């Protein structure tokens, strides 16, 4: 194991600090914004602008990397993120925050694509699975750990903004000092919505709706907590717990979906998430432990949906289309996370903070209904015909880019000797 990890240790270290910064900044802004009296609409736009910047970055960043090179582009992207964090702390202004958040999302897409392509090229066919699993674990741990930094600082001053900038600066060093050779140029991202829908209607509709629900909750959960009277420490625990239990729930849910029709698992989990969301919206639990417990039930169901929907799409995709389908679904999820916060903010303003869970409940009920409907339109695959389930990180916005699909061990790979020949020939 260590023999496989050592060649990419520096890149994985940079990944850890990048996602530490992402987790801290992503929670700090809505909590501080709530204290500053920003409206729900503005706080929702913070998530919308980040997700929009991320999706745009997936399309535009490859051209920047091809022109500047991986190392210079990586350093430049992280430097811009550091500047945006510091400017956000200096200028407490809602319009500036929304604009800077979009720039952060754009640069985050660039840094993630560079690291993922770098890891992909350094990995061998034998080590790819271990590196991919570790990469996913690091992204999840980084986001959760970054969020839990909140209780150790004061949200009302600039200290946490400076800590976040320092974390991003540290992220530059391992990758910049690494001896790993720069990988081949990033691939140009393509999004074929018609082909994605034809491949699997349930995955197409489901992932878009999962993006809407996760985008609304992930961006506005901290706002909900502040409006509900929770302190910053409790908010950090609440948001982090949702991601943690969601990651754990993927294992049993995925194993179950390997044995029965994945559409039934999607329908059941979505129904559970909808019931939990509706219960929170109706009961308005005031006891902290009861509230966090109900939200954990919601998070366990909601955050297990995305990888099952991806696995269902891959069941019907040919092996050579795996990268195209997986990458396209990631971008479709990103589009959903743009829509979710845009809808959630005004609804919370009109109906109160607990109405956030009405937005997620409607999305999950639609997934349930459509999954059941489609199960009657197309026969289920046998267990032998299914693709293997693989856990994937889910959060308010995409944690992975289309480049990660090439790193996935399920992606078609050339034999190492043939790959070396092709690289030498410039293919």
């Amino acid at each position: 194991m260590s023999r496989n990890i050592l060649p990419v240790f520096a890149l994985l270290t940079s990944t850890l600090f990048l996602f530490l910064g992402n987790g801290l900044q992503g929670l700090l802004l809505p909590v501080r914004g709530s204290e500053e009296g920003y409206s729900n609409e503005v706080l929702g736009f913070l998530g919308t602008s980040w997700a929009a910047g991320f999706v745009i970055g997936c399309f535009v960043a490859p051209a920047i990397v091809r022109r500047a090179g991986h190392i210079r582009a990586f350093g430049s992207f992280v430097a811009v993120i550091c500047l945006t964090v510091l400017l956000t702390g200096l200028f407490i202004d809602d319009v500036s925050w929304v604009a800077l958040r979009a720039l952060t999302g754009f640069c985050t897409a660039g840094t993630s694509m560079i690291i993922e392509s770098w890891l992909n090229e350094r990995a061998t066919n034998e080590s790819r699975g271990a590196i991919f699993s570790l990469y996913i674990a690091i992204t999840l741990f980084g986001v959760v750990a970054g969020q839990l930094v909140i209780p150790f600082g004061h949200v009302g001053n600039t200290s946490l903004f400076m800590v976040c900038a320092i974390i991003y600066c540290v992220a530059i060093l391992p990758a910049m000092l690494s001896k790993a050779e720069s990988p081949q140029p990033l691939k140009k991202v393509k999004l074929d919505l018609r082909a994605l829908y034809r491949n699997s209607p349930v995955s197409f509709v489901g992932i878009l709706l999962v993006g809407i629900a996760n985008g609304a909750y992930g961006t506005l959960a901290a706002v909900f907590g502040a409006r509900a009277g929770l302190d910053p420490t409790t908010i950090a625990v609440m948001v982090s717990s949702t991601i943690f239990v969601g990651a754990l729930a993927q294992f049993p849910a995925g194993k179950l979906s390997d044995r029965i029709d994945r559409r039934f698992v999607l329908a059941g989990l979505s129904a559970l998430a909808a019931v939990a969301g509706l219960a929170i919206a109706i009961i308005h639990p005031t006891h902290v432990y009861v509230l966090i417990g109900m939200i954990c039930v919601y998070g366990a169901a909601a955050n297990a949906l995305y990888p099952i929907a991806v696995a269902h799409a891959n069941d019907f995709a040919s092996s050579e289309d795996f990268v195209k389908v997986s990458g396209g679904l990631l971008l479709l999820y990103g589009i959903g996370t743009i829509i979710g916060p845009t809808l959630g903010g005004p609804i919370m303003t009109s109906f109160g903070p607990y109405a956030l869970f009405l937005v997620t409940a409607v999305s999950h009920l639609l997934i349930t209904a459509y999954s059941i409907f489609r199960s009657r339109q197309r026969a289920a695959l046998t267990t032998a015909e299914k693709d293997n389930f693989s856990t994937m990180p889910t959060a308010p916005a995409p944690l992975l880019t289309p480049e990660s699909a090439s790193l996935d061990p399920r992606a078609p790979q050339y034999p190492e000797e043939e790959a070396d020949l092709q690289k030498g020939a410039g293919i």
Side-chain angles (χ1 to χ4, degrees):
M1 179 68 174
S2 59
R3 182 181 60 186
N4 296 331
I5 301 304
L6 283 177
V8 294
F9 180 78
L11 300 177
L12 292 173
T13 303
S14 287
T15 301
L16 174 61
F17 283 98
L18 274 174
F19 282 90
L20 278 168
N22 290 345
L24 173 55
Q25 188 184 15
L27 186 59
L28 174 60
L29 292 183
V31 174
R32 176 63 182 273
S34 297
E35 289 194 358
E36 295 294 334
Y38 291 172
S39 67
N40 293 329
E41 289 83 357
V42 168
L43 295 174
F45 277 129
L46 290 177
T48 299
S49 62
W50 192 96
F54 188 96
V55 171
I56 294 171
C58 288
F59 288 98
V60 178
I64 297 175
V65 176
R66 284 194 293 269
R67 181 173 181 177
H70 285 73
I71 295 177
R72 287 193 294 271
F74 181 83
S76 300
F77 283 137
V78 180
V80 172
I81 294 175
C82 290
L83 290 175
T84 61
V85 174
L86 295 173
L87 289 172
T88 304
L90 285 174
F91 300 103
I92 309 300
D93 174 72
D94 52 358
V95 176
S96 299
W97 278 24
V98 171
L100 290 170
R101 196 69 178 136
L103 187 57
T104 301
F106 180 91
C107 292
T108 301
T111 56
S112 297
M113 293 183 82
I114 290 171
I115 286 180
E116 287 163 6
S117 65
W118 221 328
L119 290 174
N120 183 46
E121 191 139 322
R122 295 293 294 175
T124 64
N125 291 346
E126 290 74 20
S127 67
R128 194 172 304 279
I131 291 175
F132 183 71
S133 298
L134 184 58
Y135 175 67
I136 289 178
I138 286 173
T139 61
L140 288 171
F141 176 80
V143 170
V144 172
Q147 292 170 342
L148 294 177
V149 172
I150 293 285
F152 297 96
H154 193 281
V155 176
N157 58 36
T158 60
S159 60
L160 286 174
F161 290 97
M162 290 188 287
V163 169
C164 188
I166 291 171
I167 292 173
Y168 279 126
C169 287
V170 174
I172 299 177
L173 300 178
M176 297 291 283
L177 298 176
S178 172
K179 295 181 180 179
E181 296 181 3
S182 295
Q184 299 296 313
L186 298 181
K187 303 178 184 69
K188 188 176 180 180
V189 176
K190 295 181 179 180
L191 181 59
D192 189 342
L193 295 178
R194 291 183 179 179
L196 283 175
Y197 183 81
R198 287 196 302 268
N199 178 71
S200 173
V202 165
S203 295
F204 183 99
V205 174
I207 282 178
L208 180 63
L209 290 169
V210 169
I212 292 173
N214 286 8
Y217 175 79
T219 298
L220 296 168
V223 180
F224 158 77
R227 302 284 193 260
L230 304 181
D231 60 84
T233 298
T234 305
I235 292 173
V237 171
M238 178 188 74
V239 175
S240 299
S241 297
T242 309
I243 298 175
F244 180 73
V245 297
L248 293 180
Q250 290 185 26
F251 293 97
K255 291 298 181 183
L256 180 62
S257 75
D258 283 339
R259 297 180 178 181
I260 66 174
D261 192 335
R262 296 197 206 274
R263 293 168 295 189
F264 293 151
V265 180
L266 284 173
L269 288 173
S270 298
L272 177 59
V275 169
L278 287 172
I280 295 171
I282 294 171
I283 297 173
H284 290 199
T286 55
H287 194 284
V288 171
Y289 293 115
V290 174
L291 176 61
I292 292 180
M294 294 177 72
I295 289 178
C296 282
V297 173
Y298 163 82
N303 286 327
L305 292 172
Y306 178 82
I308 294 176
V310 171
H312 182 66
N314 289 330
D315 288 342
F316 295 96
S318 59
S319 59
E320 60 268 20
D321 289 335
F322 174 87
V323 173
K324 184 191 302 183
V325 169
S326 298
L329 292 175
L330 274 168
L331 291 176
L332 188 64
Y333 178 78
I335 293 172
T337 61
I338 296 172
I339 300 171
T342 306
L343 295 175
I347 291 174
M348 289 176 68
T349 298
S350 300
F351 301 101
Y354 288 90
L356 169 63
F357 292 95
L358 294 178
V359 177
T360 64
V362 170
S363 297
H364 291 131
L365 286 174
L366 289 174
I367 296 173
T368 299
Y370 193 68
S371 297
I372 294 174
F373 168 75
R374 285 298 308 175
S375 69
R376 300 176 181 274
Q377 307 300 312
R378 177 191 270 183
L381 296 177
T382 64
T383 302
E385 293 174 317
K386 288 182 178 180
D387 183 60
N388 292 327
F389 174 84
S390 179
T391 58
M392 297 188 73
T394 56
L399 290 180
L400 301 176
T401 74
E403 279 289 331
S404 66
S406 298
L407 180 60
D408 193 303
R410 294 172 296 174
Q413 304 294 331
Y414 292 114
E416 291 179 36
E417 297 81 3
E418 183 180 343
D420 292 336
L421 290 174
Q422 293 213 20
K423 289 177 186 177
I427 297 178

